[in-house]
């Protein structure tokens, strides 16, 4: 984490969970979490939050509803307060999704289902949540919410598990260059990987 042009210090922590995502963004006393890993990763995510003294998340984004992104969310929701919970539209026929819905019911949380871009401020950082444009994709990964973060002159891109259809949508908007990239789908190559990397490098 480093301060930029008088801004408060920013820390981005990418948790080492194997082929699963959980990324913690901290600015001053604000915290935003992107994804929660698999079911058994929930306790690891909670341990990191506890270690950082975080008992409340300003925001939690589930980029899409696959088990390696929402698996730990029920444990997180039962462990810390969450001001705003974001997810794409739709549901998933899975045990992990059922646990998620039950935890939301327990805690009285109504997720914000993203139907269009949403911008929020986290102390000195601006986050733009970009949901997929269509209502149906053949590949579950293409429902991924892509996140752009601007912090002073630094730009961060968290591409979730976006595959070719979703990457094509994103590229059509003419993205600018980024300083930090969380590569799509755990680094798996797709037809548009080259074009995407050239556009955002």
């Amino acid at each position: 984490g480093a301060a930029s042009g008088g801004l408060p210090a920013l820390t981005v922590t990418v948790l080492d969970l194997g082929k699963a995502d959980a990324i913690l963004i901290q600015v001053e006393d604000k915290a935003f979490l992107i994804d929660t890993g698999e079911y058994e990763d929930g306790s690891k995510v909670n341990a990191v939050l506890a270690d950082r003294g975080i008992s409340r998340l300003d925001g939690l984004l589930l980029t899409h509803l696959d088990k390696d992104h929402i698996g730990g969310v029920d444990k997180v929701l039962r462990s810390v307060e969450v001001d705003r919970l974001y997810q794409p539209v739709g549901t998933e026929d899975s045990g992990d999704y059922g646990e998620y819905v039950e935890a939301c019911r327990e805690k009285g949380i109504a997720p914000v289902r993203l139907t269009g871009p949403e911008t929020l401020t986290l102390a000195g950082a601006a986050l733009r949540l970009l949901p997929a444009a269509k209502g149906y994709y053949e590949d579950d990964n293409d429902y991924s919410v892509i996140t752009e973060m601007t912090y002073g002159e630094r730009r961060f891109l968290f591409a979730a598990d976006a595959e070719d259809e979703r990457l094509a949508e994103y590229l059509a908007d003419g993205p600018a260059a980024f300083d930090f990239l969380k590569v799509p789908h755990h680094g798996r190559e797709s037809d548009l990987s080259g074009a995407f990397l050239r556009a955002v490098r």
Side-chain angles (χ1 to χ4, degrees):
S4 172
L7 290 168
L10 163 75
T11 304
V12 176
T13 305
V14 180
L15 276 67
D16 183 3
L17 303 176
K19 193 182 170 188
D21 280 4
I23 301 165
L24 176 63
I25 299 165
Q26 294 173 265
V27 191
E28 289 187 324
D29 61 343
K30 306 289 186 184
F32 189 91
L33 183 65
I34 300 176
D35 291 325
T36 60
E38 298 216 16
Y39 178 74
E40 60 271 18
D41 296 323
S43 53
K44 299 175 191 173
V45 176
N46 282 340
V48 171
L49 296 176
D51 187 58
R52 303 285 177 88
I54 296 169
S55 59
R56 184 178 70 84
L57 292 170
D58 295 272
L60 167 55
L61 168 66
L62 300 173
T63 60
H64 61 301
L65 304 176
D66 284 355
K67 67 177 185 177
D68 52 331
H69 296 258
I70 72 164
V73 70
D74 58 317
K75 292 180 181 174
V76 173
L77 291 178
R78 291 179 174 117
S79 178
V80 297
E81 296 300 314
V82 176
D83 278 4
R84 295 202 86 187
L85 174 60
Y86 301 92
Q87 68 158 83
V89 294
T91 61
E92 184 82 9
D93 184 17
S94 71
D96 289 298
Y97 184 77
E99 291 279 355
Y100 163 50
V101 171
E102 180 58 32
C104 285
R105 190 179 296 120
E106 268 181 38
K107 300 291 286 186
I109 296 173
V112 177
R113 295 175 186 270
L114 295 164
T115 56
E118 180 131 352
T119 302
L120 51 125
T121 302
L122 196 71
L127 283 82
R128 189 159 164 78
L129 312 182
L130 303 169
K134 298 194 304 182
Y136 174 77
Y137 296 87
E138 196 169 319
D139 191 321
D140 284 353
N141 290 316
D142 283 321
Y143 291 97
S144 287
V145 178
I146 293 174
T147 303
E148 298 176 341
M149 181 170 73
T150 305
Y151 173 76
E153 295 181 356
R154 300 284 183 186
R155 284 166 50 80
F156 297 72
L157 180 61
F158 306 94
D161 275 8
E163 297 269 19
D164 282 334
E165 263 198 282
R166 184 74 186 92
L167 290 177
E169 283 177 4
Y170 184 69
L171 289 171
D173 289 335
F178 290 87
D179 301 287
F180 176 97
L181 170 65
K182 199 298 287 191
V183 296
H185 203 194
H186 318 286
R188 179 179 170 187
E189 188 175 8
S190 69
D191 290 342
L192 285 181
S193 294
F196 174 72
L197 290 172
R198 284 190 295 274
V200 303
R201 63 179 295 163

